[in-house]
């Protein structure tokens, strides 16, 4: 420590010696220059200015000093001053800063009158604080960028100016240093900076110049007592450390006067005190926000993104402020302010806890709190303190703080006495309200008489809208006020657009800087003249008034008085209903919002409620409803008004039951009452699940996606499938597709298909449950389960696509959707059905969803004919309904167009019935069934499907057929593999396309090719030879009686017989399948015949 202290002393003495030497040179001004020897060429002057613009650092120092001594420079003073300002901005290190000081000193010694004032003026402008009006107009992100760029630009300028003030270039007067000039610059930067963006400038200044400007020396130890006060520790530290840290200079050797050093020190300590208070406030706000986030997580199970972003932003700002405060504490040798921790707060919530510690209930956790949600609580309770953003001198609370406290105490005492008197009077009136219906009606007339007596004769009461014209701003720019009045006009013009909390809080800060008696009066008139159709502004204006009311109580008091007067006027004019309806609503909403900000005294709003309750009819019913909706919950749950307002609410319910109101008024009062005093509800019991159940649900509901399906499959396969609990959980998850995203249903089906290879019984149980859910939905037809039914139908189609079920089940499901529940299995036009009414179109939606999912798969063969028959009957089913809604009609047309774009769409029920008759006739004829041709002479054609005996093969015959077919396929494949390789060596040779074509042509020309010209029976073969990479064919005639020819001929005949046999099997299979379809259709309708009639 001693060596480090001595090293610091040596460095500081070396800096002091350099400054003293340069200061003496600058004070002498004895530079002798012969003008005739100086160079005045434009080229060298231009090069000098260019080098100065680039930098005044050590790289350019020697050349610049040489040019200053050798060039004339008189004609380029202004350009040199501007170039010097740009070069200073590029000086980053301490050596660069000293090089810049030497260059400026050389120029100062040559041109003290022409160069130095111009440079100091430019430096003063560059170090000026930014305009608050311009910054307030920027968004927060842009404002932060502007502040950051300004600080980086002003940092080197401040360091160079600090050195210039020490070497005698910037001076406050004759034989004085420039310490006061530096102090004023820093004071201006810090006082006009509510966001503390200029705090890094003070830190940079104190790191290098705390000794010459403040007289601070390092203490004995870094550990500083927490009991020390911020304003007195520096002097004590300086005196206490004289023993270890040696005294650097005597008073007559100091470069800055003692008075300036003391004032500078007090200013920095006061600023550190303000930063410490702001740090404490931000620390408490961060802890409160953390606590509220945890409570929200307990209530909802998650923290919303906007809340998380706000917390991260607050944490970032707090950490930045904490680092700056710690830096100031180390540089000023002052202790850090004590910051309360979470463990010191009795009502805090620890992470992982399930309840609030302490016995008292949190109104946020309890559903019966005075605020509906956290956002509303923050809006009405988290009001900024102007003292943190506006200087105390501007608010007028710095000088006469004691007088204000005494006046506040007297005012609070008077208000308390007045409130007690009003409460006693109100209780007496409430006792009088406990009357029967006749007494209540009798009191009405007395109240009206009292109101008439209160209004003096001959007085003209202004209308509530009269202040609007008086407060309208002048339209002509020539008549616009100047100075603060113009700024106030701009602020008032900006208020109607302040529709969020940040903008209205900023407007309150801006008005605090324009505070005056005239401005307050003008503001009160403006706030009272809110347009009657802009009720959305009232909560924000109320917050604006509540923010200012703490330091400007006349604003809230006078605004409440104006609204009270307007309320009384509207009570006198209660017979005018329509004209004043919007004004009444604006008045009540304004008072309600001000009540929740505690600007309106509680006795006043209770008196208004009592006045409306005295005359409980007409417009007062709406007034009471709006009061209850606006501030009833707040009054009923506030400690000071709970008992009285509860009594009044009970009396209101009693009067409501005794009087007769129309349906609209009853609905208004009921809604308002239950919004103010909602019924108690038991909290939902959260189902307890094991960790494995939660893990499975997390995999399916949260993790499952296209990119993660393989990972989910691996994890599911690793589960213990022998455990019945896990099997039951998986079965629940896989059979409830409505709990996942609709777009992920196909992934759930794909996952079921992948698991089928390892657990086939599980896949079967899933399909069974899905079919059962569809059937249950058809039987119950509950509206609340429609979304589930759509997801289940979609899931069924996806299961078919992944081959977990056959097309028979899909068609059976679609036929069930259009026939289930109807008499005799078919719908009738406009005939009601208990589970499928004519105005219920949900089954049409289900069929469309299934067609959209699997319709493209049925585009060929028997399945295509099946779907075509179904679509014909589906059109008949649709026409049996009432007129389709537009969305269902579009859905139907889109679905059919996607799978059958050329299909004929029937317009009438008659056409559809004829098409259904033809469809059934054709189906029965193809199946070989006999049609009962006995028809009556009635013009109504009747189609009868007779209940004949069972058609088609039996189950035993079908099993035998499948067994024989499998044997044929197996034998044919085995025989093809048993061919002798020696006799089939030619199979590996492949004819070239040209040889194959040439051989076919020759065979055609020969007219058979099996006989030679001599009449002998031969068989022609082609011998393939290869020369190089080219194949060549050569014809070879082999006698027909040879073994090779006989074997080849028998193999060809055998292949031809097998092909014919397989062809017959395939054709017979299709015919059997069609017969089975008609058999199933006949079995379904065996009990009675299906009759489809139409009116001709």
């Amino acid at each position: 420590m001693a060596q480090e202290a001595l090293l610091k002393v040596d460095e500081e003495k070396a800096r002091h010696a350099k400054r003293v030497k340069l200061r003496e040179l600058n004070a002498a001004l004895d530079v002798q220059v012969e003008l005739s020897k100086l160079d005045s060429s434009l080229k060298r002057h231009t090069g000098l200015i260019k080098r100065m613009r680039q930098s005044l650092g050590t790289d350019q120092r020697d050349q610049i000093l040489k040019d200053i001594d050798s060039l004339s420079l008189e004609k380029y003073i202004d350009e040199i001053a501007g170039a010097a300002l740009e070069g200073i901005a590029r000086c980053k290190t301490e050596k660069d800063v000293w090089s810049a000081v030497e260059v400026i000193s050389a120029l100062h010694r040559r041109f003290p009158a022409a160069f130095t004032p111009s440079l100091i003026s430019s430096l003063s402008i560059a170090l000026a604080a930014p305009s608050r009006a311009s910054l307030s107009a920027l968004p927060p992100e842009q404002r932060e960028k502007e502040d950051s760029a300004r600080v980086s630009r002003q940092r080197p300028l401040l360091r160079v100016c600090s050195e210039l003030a020490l070497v005698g270039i910037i001076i406050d007067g004759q034989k004085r240093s420039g310490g006061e000039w530096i102090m004023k610059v820093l004071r201006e930067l810090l006082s006009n900076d509510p966001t503390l963006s200029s705090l890094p400038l003070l830190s940079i200044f104190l790191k290098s110049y705390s000794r010459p400007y403040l007289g601070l020396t390092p203490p004995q130890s870094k550990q500083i007592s927490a009991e020390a006060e911020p304003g007195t520790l520096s002097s004590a530290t300086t005196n206490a450390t004289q023993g270890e840290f040696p005294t650097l200079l005597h008073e007559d050797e100091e470069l800055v006067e003692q008075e300036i050093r003391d004032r500078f020190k007090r200013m920095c300590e006061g600023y550190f005190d303000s930063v410490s208070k702001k740090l404490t406030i931000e620390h408490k706000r961060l802890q409160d926000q953390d606590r509220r986030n945890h409570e929200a997580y307990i209530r909802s199970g998650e923290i919303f993104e906007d809340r998380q972003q706000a917390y991260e932003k607050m944490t970032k700002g707090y950490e930045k402020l904490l680092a700056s405060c710690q830096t100031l504490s180390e540089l000023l040798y002052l202790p850090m302010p004590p910051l309360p921790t979470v463990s010191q707060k009795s009502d805090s919530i620890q992470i992982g806890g399930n309840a609030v510690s302490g016995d008292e209930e949190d109104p946020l956790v309890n559903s019966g709190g005075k605020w509906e949600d956290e956002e509303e609580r923050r809006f009405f309770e988290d009001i900024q303190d102007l003292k943190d953003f506006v200087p105390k001198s501007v608010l007028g609370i710095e000088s006469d703080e004691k007088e204000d406290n005494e006046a506040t105490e007297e005012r609070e005492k008077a208000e308390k006495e007045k409130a007690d008197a009003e409460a006693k009077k109100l209780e007496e009136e409430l006792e009088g309200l406990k009357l029967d219906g006749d007494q209540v009606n009798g009191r009405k007339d007395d109240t009206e008489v009292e109101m008439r007596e209160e209004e003096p004769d001959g007085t003209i009461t202004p209308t509530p809208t009269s202040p609007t014209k008086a407060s309208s701003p002048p339209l002509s720019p020539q008549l616009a006020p100047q100075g603060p009045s113009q700024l106030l006009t701009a602020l008032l013009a900006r208020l109607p657009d302040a529709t969020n909390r940040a903008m209205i809080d900023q407007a309150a800060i801006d008005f605090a800087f324009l505070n005056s008696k005239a401005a307050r009066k003008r503001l009160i008139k403006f706030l009272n003249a809110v347009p009657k159709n802009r009720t959305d502004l009232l909560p924000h204006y109320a917050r604006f008034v509540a923010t200012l009311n703490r330091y400007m109580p006349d604003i809230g008091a006078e605004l409440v008085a104006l609204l009270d007067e307007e309320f009384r006027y509207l009570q006198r004019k209660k017979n005018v209903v329509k004209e004043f309806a919007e004004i009444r609503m604006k008045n009540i909403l304004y008072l309600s919002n001000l009540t929740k900000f505690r600007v309106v005294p509680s006795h006043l709003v209770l008196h208004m409620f009592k006045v409306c309750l005295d005359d409980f009819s007409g417009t007062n019913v709406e007034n009471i409803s709006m009061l209850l909706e606006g501030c009833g919950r707040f009054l009923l749950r506030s400690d000071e008004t709970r008992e009285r307002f509860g009594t009044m609410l009970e009396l209101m319910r009693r009067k409501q039951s005794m009087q007769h109101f129309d349906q609209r008024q009853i609905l208004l009062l009921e809604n308002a009452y239950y919004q103010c005093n909602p019924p108690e509800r038991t909290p939902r019991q959260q189902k307890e699940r094991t960790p494995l159940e939660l893990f499975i649900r997390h995999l399916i509901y949260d993790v499952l996606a296209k990119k993660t399906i393989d990972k989910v499959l691996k994890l599911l396969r690793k589960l213990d499938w022998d455990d019945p609990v896990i099997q039951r959980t998986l079965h629940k998850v896989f059979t409830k597709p409505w709990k996942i995203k609709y777009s992920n249903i196909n992934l759930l089906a794909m996952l079921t298909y992948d698991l089928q290879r390892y657990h086939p019984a599980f896949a079967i149980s899933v399909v069974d449950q899905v079919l059962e859910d569809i059937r249950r939905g058809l039987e119950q037809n509950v509206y609340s389960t429609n979304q589930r039914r759509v997801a289940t139908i979609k899931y069924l189609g996806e299961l078919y696509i992944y081959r977990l079920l056959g097309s028979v089940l899909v068609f059976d499901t679609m036929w069930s959707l259009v026939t289930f529940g109807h008499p005799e299995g078919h719908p009738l036009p406009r005939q009601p059905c208990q589970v499928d009414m004519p105005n219920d179109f949900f089954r049409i939606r289900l069929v469309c969803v299934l067609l959209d999912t699997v319709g493209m798969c049925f585009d060929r063969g028997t399945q295509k004919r099946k779907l075509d028959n179904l679509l014909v009957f589906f059109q008949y089913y649709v026409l049996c309904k009432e007129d389709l809604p537009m969305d269902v009609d579009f859905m139907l047309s889109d679905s059919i167009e996607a799978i059958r774009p050329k299909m004929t769409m029937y317009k009438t029920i008659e056409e559809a019935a004829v098409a259904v008759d033809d469809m059934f006739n054709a189906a029965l004829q193809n199946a070989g069934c006999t049609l009962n041709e006995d028809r009556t002479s009635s013009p109504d054609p009747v189609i009868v499907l007779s209940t004949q005996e069972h058609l088609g093969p039996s189950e035993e015959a079908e099993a035998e057929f499948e067994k024989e077919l499998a044997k044929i396929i197996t034998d044919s494949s085995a025989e093809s593999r048993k061919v002798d390789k020696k006799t089939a060596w030619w199979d590996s040779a492949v004819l070239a396309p040209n040889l194959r074509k040439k051989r076919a042509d020759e065979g055609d020309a020969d007219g058979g090719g099996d006989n030679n010209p001599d009449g002998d029976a031969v068989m022609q073969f082609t011998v393939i030879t290869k020369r190089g990479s080219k194949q060549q064919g050569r014809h070879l005639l082999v006698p027909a009686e040879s073994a090779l020819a006989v074997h080849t001929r028998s193999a060809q005949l055998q292949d031809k017989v097998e092909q014919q046999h397989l062809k017959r099997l395939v054709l017979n299979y299709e015919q059997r399948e069609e017969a089975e379809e008609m058999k199933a259709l006949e079995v379904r309708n065996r009990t009675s015949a299906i009759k489809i009639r139409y009116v001709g």
Side-chain angles (χ1 to χ4, degrees):
M1 288 294 295
Q3 293 180 356
E4 185 177 354
L6 292 176
L7 183 60
K8 290 183 178 179
V9 168
D10 294 339
E11 291 177 355
E12 190 62 35
K13 284 184 177 180
R15 294 193 200 97
H16 179 74
K18 289 195 300 183
R19 291 165 183 162
V20 170
K21 182 178 179 181
L22 191 57
R23 184 173 185 175
E24 292 175 354
L25 290 175
N26 293 334
L29 295 178
D30 54 352
V31 180
Q32 302 294 334
V33 179
E34 296 183 9
L35 296 179
S36 59
K37 296 182 179 181
L38 296 178
D39 189 357
S40 60
S41 64
L42 177 62
K43 183 177 180 181
R44 291 195 61 189
H45 282 83
T46 305
L48 172 63
I49 294 173
K50 184 177 179 181
R51 277 191 291 272
M52 292 182 67
R53 289 183 189 276
Q54 291 176 353
S55 175
L56 294 182
T58 55
D59 297 338
Q60 308 283 348
R61 170 183 171 276
D62 297 336
Q63 185 62 38
I64 293 175
L65 290 177
K66 181 179 178 182
D67 290 342
I68 292 174
D69 294 336
S70 60
L71 298 178
S72 59
L73 305 177
E74 286 88 354
K75 298 179 181 179
Y76 306 97
I77 296 299
D78 293 337
E79 289 83 353
I80 290 174
L85 186 64
E86 294 184 18
I88 291 172
R90 291 178 171 83
C91 296
K92 305 299 181 182
T93 63
E94 184 178 356
K95 292 182 179 180
D96 291 340
V97 170
W98 185 251
S99 299
V101 171
E102 289 181 333
V103 170
I104 294 172
S105 299
L107 291 169
H108 168 72
R109 289 194 294 271
R110 282 198 58 184
F111 308 103
F115 171 77
T116 307
S118 176
L119 178 65
I120 294 175
S121 176
S122 301
L123 289 172
S124 178
I125 294 173
L127 288 173
S131 173
R132 292 183 58 84
S134 61
L135 285 180
S136 61
L138 297 175
E141 294 81 5
Q142 186 66 25
R143 188 186 314 165
E144 186 176 354
K145 291 181 180 179
E146 290 290 334
D147 287 336
S148 178
R150 175 183 60 83
V151 169
S152 62
R153 187 173 60 251
Q154 290 180 342
R155 185 182 291 115
L157 298 178
L158 182 61
R159 296 181 65 182
V160 172
C161 289
S162 302
E163 291 288 353
L164 294 178
L166 293 176
V167 298
I169 295 179
I170 298 177
I171 57 176
D172 300 327
Q174 193 68 24
K175 295 184 180 180
R176 290 180 63 85
S177 67
E180 189 168 359
W181 189 91
I182 299 294
M183 185 170 61
K184 288 181 179 179
V185 168
L186 281 174
R187 184 189 296 122
E188 183 182 358
L189 286 172
L190 299 176
S191 61
N192 294 319
D193 183 29
T195 60
L196 303 181
S197 60
S198 298
L199 198 149
L201 293 176
L202 179 62
S203 301
I204 290 295
F205 174 80
L206 292 176
K207 284 181 181 178
S208 303
Y209 305 104
S210 60
R211 173 64 190 87
Y213 281 98
L214 277 71
L216 297 180
T217 54
Q220 291 183 356
S221 175
K222 292 286 183 181
Q223 300 294 331
I224 301 175
S225 174
E227 288 102 7
E229 297 181 1
T232 60
L233 190 64
S234 293
S235 58
T237 305
T238 305
N239 296 331
T241 56
Q242 298 298 325
E244 182 173 344
F245 198 90
T247 303
L248 295 176
L249 303 170
H250 297 290
E251 183 59 35
D252 55 353
E253 297 178 349
E254 295 286 349
L255 298 177
V256 180
E257 295 80 4
Q258 178 69 32
E259 176 193 0
I260 302 297
R261 295 202 304 272
D262 294 341
R263 288 168 54 194
F264 220 138
K265 186 192 305 181
R266 287 196 297 271
M267 185 193 78
C268 293
E269 290 177 348
Y271 183 73
F272 176 74
D273 191 14
S274 301
V275 173
S276 300
K277 291 180 179 178
K278 185 173 180 62
L279 178 65
T280 305
I281 294 172
E282 291 296 324
H283 181 75
K284 292 179 180 178
R285 284 184 58 200
L286 185 64
Q287 284 189 338
D288 293 341
Q289 184 65 33
D290 189 19
R291 177 177 58 85
R292 289 194 293 269
N293 286 350
H294 188 69
E295 292 167 356
Y297 181 77
I298 291 176
R299 289 195 307 272
S300 60
E302 62 177 340
I303 299 178
F304 297 109
E305 186 177 357
D306 55 346
R307 183 189 293 270
Q308 186 67 23
Q309 290 177 355
Y311 180 74
E312 292 175 357
K313 184 177 180 182
M314 186 183 297
T315 304
K316 184 179 178 181
Y318 169 76
E319 292 175 352
K320 184 177 178 182
L321 180 61
L322 178 62
S324 301
C325 191
Q326 289 175 344
T327 303
L328 285 182
S329 173
E330 295 174 358
L331 294 174
L332 294 173
Y333 310 116
L334 297 177
M336 284 288 292
L339 300 176
T341 59
V342 179
S343 59
Q344 295 173 353
K345 302 179 70 176
S346 60
D347 58 345
S348 62
I349 295 182
Q350 301 295 333
I351 298 298
N354 293 326
V356 182
S357 61
D359 297 333
E360 58 184 16
E361 295 181 356
D362 193 344
L364 294 174
V365 178
N366 188 7
S367 61
K370 66 177 70 173
W371 310 114
E372 292 184 1
D373 51 22
E374 171 67 13
E375 185 64 28
E376 186 182 14
R377 189 205 66 79
R378 284 190 296 172
F379 183 81
F380 286 103
E381 286 191 351
D382 293 351
I383 302 175
Q384 64 181 359
D385 191 352
L386 292 177
K387 188 171 60 176
D388 299 334
F389 304 94
V390 182
K392 294 182 179 181
S393 58
V394 176
L395 294 174
I397 60 174
E398 190 174 15
S399 57
D400 50 354
E401 192 172 313
K402 295 183 179 180
E403 296 178 2
D404 290 345
N405 293 336
E406 294 175 358
T408 302
E409 292 176 0
E410 293 178 359
R411 184 168 62 253
E412 290 178 354
K413 186 177 180 181
E415 289 180 357
K416 185 176 181 181
E417 293 176 355
K418 184 178 179 181
D420 293 340
E422 288 284 344
K424 291 180 181 178
K425 184 178 178 182
L426 188 60
E427 289 176 0
E428 294 175 358
E429 293 173 349
L430 289 176
E431 291 294 333
L433 279 174
K434 298 180 179 179
L435 303 171
D436 55 5
D438 297 335
Q439 292 171 337
V440 170
N441 295 331
R443 178 163 288 229
K444 277 190 195 176
D445 302 332
D446 298 337
T447 307
E448 292 177 0
V449 172
E450 289 176 3
M451 287 187 174
R452 294 193 194 98
E453 292 175 355
E454 288 177 2
E455 184 175 359
D457 297 334
T459 59
I460 300 175
T461 306
T463 61
T465 57
S466 59
T468 306
K469 295 181 180 179
S471 64
S472 60
L475 300 178
S476 176
Q478 287 80 10
L479 301 178
Q482 302 296 324
S485 181
Q486 187 177 10
L487 296 176
L488 181 60
T489 302
L491 175 62
L492 296 181
R494 206 169 67 240
L495 273 182
D497 298 328
T499 55
N500 59 46
R501 189 168 58 178
M503 295 175 67
I504 207 68
D505 289 348
Q506 185 60 42
I509 296 174
D510 295 341
F511 180 80
F513 284 96
L514 303 173
N515 181 26
S516 66
K517 188 174 182 180
R520 292 197 297 272
K521 286 186 176 181
R522 189 174 167 190
L523 177 66
I524 292 169
K525 289 183 179 180
F526 178 83
L527 293 175
N528 189 45
V530 182
K532 56 187 178 182
N533 59 345
R534 290 300 305 273
T535 55
D536 59 305
L537 296 175
L538 299 179
H540 303 285
Y541 282 7
R543 181 180 175 88
F544 181 74
V545 173
T547 305
L548 298 175
N549 194 57
R550 183 180 300 180
Y551 300 102
M552 307 168 199
D554 54 335
I555 293 179
E558 293 186 20
L559 180 60
V560 171
L562 290 174
L563 292 173
D564 185 24
E565 181 183 354
E566 186 180 48
F567 175 78
R568 294 175 185 274
Y569 170 77
L570 292 173
Q571 283 295 314
R572 291 192 292 269
K573 300 293 182 181
K574 59 178 174 290
N575 294 328
V576 184
V577 180
K578 294 183 179 180
E579 289 78 0
F580 289 160
E582 293 181 347
I583 300 173
R584 285 191 183 91
M585 182 174 66
K586 185 202 76 171
N587 179 265
I588 296 297
L589 290 179
Y590 216 158
L591 287 168
S592 300
N593 284 285
L594 289 171
T595 300
K596 289 191 281 189
F597 281 109
R598 303 183 186 275
V599 177
V600 177
S602 59
H603 63 85
L604 180 60
V605 70
L606 290 176
H607 177 72
M608 291 178 180
F609 191 84
K610 176 252 176 188
V611 169
C612 295
L613 198 58
D614 286 343
D615 185 13
F616 196 33
S617 63
T619 57
N620 281 336
V621 174
E622 299 178 1
N623 291 341
I624 286 180
S625 300
M626 288 187 289
L627 270 174
L628 290 178
E629 291 177 358
C631 60
R633 185 186 183 102
F634 174 81
L635 293 173
L636 191 62
R637 285 162 174 76
S638 297
D639 295 335
E640 61 270 16
T641 57
R642 178 186 295 115
E643 185 176 353
R644 286 179 287 168
F645 190 72
T647 306
M648 298 180 74
L649 207 59
E650 181 182 354
L651 292 176
M652 185 206 76
R653 298 288 288 178
R654 189 182 305 171
K655 278 194 171 187
Q656 180 184 349
S657 62
M658 294 166 58
Q659 294 180 219
H660 297 285
F661 297 103
D662 58 22
Q663 193 64 29
R664 185 185 65 87
Q665 291 176 331
I666 293 175
L667 189 61
L668 280 175
L669 291 173
E670 291 294 327
N671 288 343
Y673 175 77
Y674 286 112
Q675 186 172 351
C676 162
N677 187 22
E680 295 293 334
R681 293 182 180 179
T682 58
R684 293 181 59 184
Q685 297 294 332
Q686 189 174 6
K687 187 176 180 180
E688 295 184 359
R689 294 184 173 90
T690 62
L692 269 177
E693 292 181 11
L694 295 175
F695 175 69
I696 294 172
R697 293 168 62 88
H698 172 68
L699 286 180
I700 302 301
Y701 298 155
D702 301 331
V703 180
L704 183 60
K706 289 183 180 179
K707 297 181 180 179
T708 59
I709 186 169
D710 294 334
K711 176 183 177 182
V712 172
L713 176 63
K714 292 179 181 178
L715 292 174
L716 290 178
R717 289 184 58 198
K718 291 180 180 179
L719 297 174
D720 184 9
W721 285 79
D722 296 332
D723 188 354
V725 177
I726 292 180
Q727 287 186 1
R728 187 166 57 252
T729 303
L730 287 169
H731 185 267
K732 288 181 180 179
V733 172
F734 274 82
T735 55
K736 294 180 179 180
W738 57 85
K739 289 193 175 184
I740 65 174
K741 294 180 181 179
Y742 189 76
S743 58
N744 285 352
I745 291 179
N746 63 328
L747 301 179
L748 190 64
M750 188 188 304
L751 206 58
T752 309
Y753 169 73
D754 292 334
L755 290 172
Q756 181 196 20
R757 291 180 288 178
Y758 311 102
H759 308 282
F762 172 75
I764 295 173
S765 65
V766 169
V767 174
D768 289 344
Q769 186 62 46
V770 170
L771 293 172
E772 180 66 25
D773 291 340
I774 295 174
R775 181 75 175 190
R776 186 186 302 112
L778 292 173
E779 294 173 353
Q780 297 176 351
N781 194 27
V782 181
Y783 176 78
S784 59
T785 61
N786 283 356
Q787 190 173 3
R788 296 185 178 186
R789 294 173 65 186
V790 170
T792 307
I793 283 289
K794 170 77 172 176
Y795 191 32
L796 179 72
E798 296 294 343
L799 290 175
Y800 170 75
I801 290 177
Y802 287 101
R803 297 179 294 174
L804 289 168
L805 51 91
S807 61
V808 176
L809 287 176
V810 176
F811 282 108
D812 285 346
T813 302
M814 285 195 281
W815 277 103
S816 299
L817 290 175
V818 295
T819 60
F820 181 81
H822 291 278
E824 299 182 359
H826 73 278
L828 297 175
R830 306 294 193 275
Q831 293 297 320
C833 177
Q834 186 176 2
V835 293
D836 189 18
M837 299 299 290
N839 59 353
D840 184 4
F841 311 100
F842 186 69
R843 290 194 185 183
I844 301 177
R845 291 180 181 271
L846 295 180
V847 175
C848 291
V849 170
L850 195 54
L851 289 176
D852 292 339
T853 307
V854 302
M856 75 291 295
C857 300
F858 307 138
D859 57 349
R860 61 175 61 88
T862 58
Q863 293 181 347
K864 181 178 184 299
R865 290 195 296 272
K866 282 185 182 181
L867 185 60
D868 291 339
N869 294 337
L870 175 68
L871 291 178
V872 171
F873 193 86
F874 180 49
Q875 291 189 59
Y876 169 76
Y877 171 79
V878 171
L879 292 172
C880 289
K881 297 281 187 180
E882 296 180 359
D883 294 338
L884 298 182
M886 185 179 297
D887 57 334
V888 179
D889 192 9
F890 287 164
M891 189 176 187
L892 175 64
S893 59
D894 291 343
S895 299
I896 294 182
E897 185 178 359
I899 57 176
R900 296 292 186 271
K902 298 181 180 180
M903 186 174 185
T904 303
M905 300 296 293
Y906 304 113
K907 302 298 183 183
T908 61
I909 188 68
E910 293 82 6
E911 296 178 1
V914 171
V916 171
D917 285 350
D918 297 340
M919 181 263 293
F920 278 116
N921 277 328
L924 290 173
Q925 290 175 2
N926 292 336
C929 298
T930 59
L931 179 65
N932 188 359
E933 298 293 339
D934 297 335
R935 297 171 181 247
T936 62
S937 60
S938 172
D940 300 340
V942 180
I943 296 177
V944 179
L945 298 181
S946 59
T947 58
Q948 298 179 2
E949 296 181 356
H950 183 71
L951 298 178
S954 62
E955 294 183 0
E956 293 80 3
E958 186 175 356
E960 185 68 22
F961 168 75
E962 292 179 354
K963 184 177 180 181
E964 291 295 331
L965 178 62
K967 183 178 180 181
I968 290 172
I969 295 174
T970 304
D971 293 343
S972 62
S973 60
E975 289 178 1
S976 63
R977 289 193 296 268
K978 289 180 180 178
V979 179
D980 189 6
K981 295 183 180 180
K982 295 182 179 179
T983 60
W985 60 269
W986 59 85
D987 290 342
S988 61
V990 180
L991 287 176
N994 55 350
L995 296 178
R996 192 182 302 117
K997 183 177 180 182
K998 182 178 179 182
R999 180 182 179 185
D1001 294 341
E1002 291 177 355
D1004 294 341
D1006 292 341
D1010 287 342
N1011 295 322
N1012 61 355
D1014 297 335
D1016 298 332
V1018 295
M1019 178 176 287
Q1020 182 177 346
F1021 287 84
T1022 301
V1023 180
I1024 300 174
T1025 60
K1026 190 173 183 181
R1027 180 175 296 176
S1029 60
K1030 185 177 181 181
Q1031 289 184 355
Q1032 292 181 356
R1034 181 181 174 185
H1035 298 298
L1036 181 65
L1037 297 178
V1038 178
E1041 293 82 4
S1042 64
L1044 176 61
V1046 172
H1047 181 77
T1048 303
R1049 176 69 67 182
S1050 61
Q1052 290 176 351
L1053 293 176
Q1054 185 179 358
D1055 290 341
K1056 189 173 182 180
V1057 170
E1058 289 181 358
Q1059 289 177 1
Q1060 295 295 331
H1061 182 62
L1062 290 176
K1063 185 177 180 180
R1064 278 197 310 274
L1065 287 177
V1066 172
L1067 292 176
N1068 293 337
Y1069 181 76
E1070 290 184 355
Q1071 292 177 0
R1072 287 192 184 92
E1073 189 176 12
E1074 292 178 1
E1076 288 176 7
E1077 292 172 8
M1078 298 312 301
K1079 174 198 68 174
L1081 184 62
E1082 182 179 349
V1083 169
R1084 185 185 303 161
N1085 300 283
R1086 181 176 296 175
T1087 56
S1088 61
I1090 295 180
K1091 298 180 181 181
I1092 301 177
R1093 301 179 181 272
Y1094 69 93
V1095 179

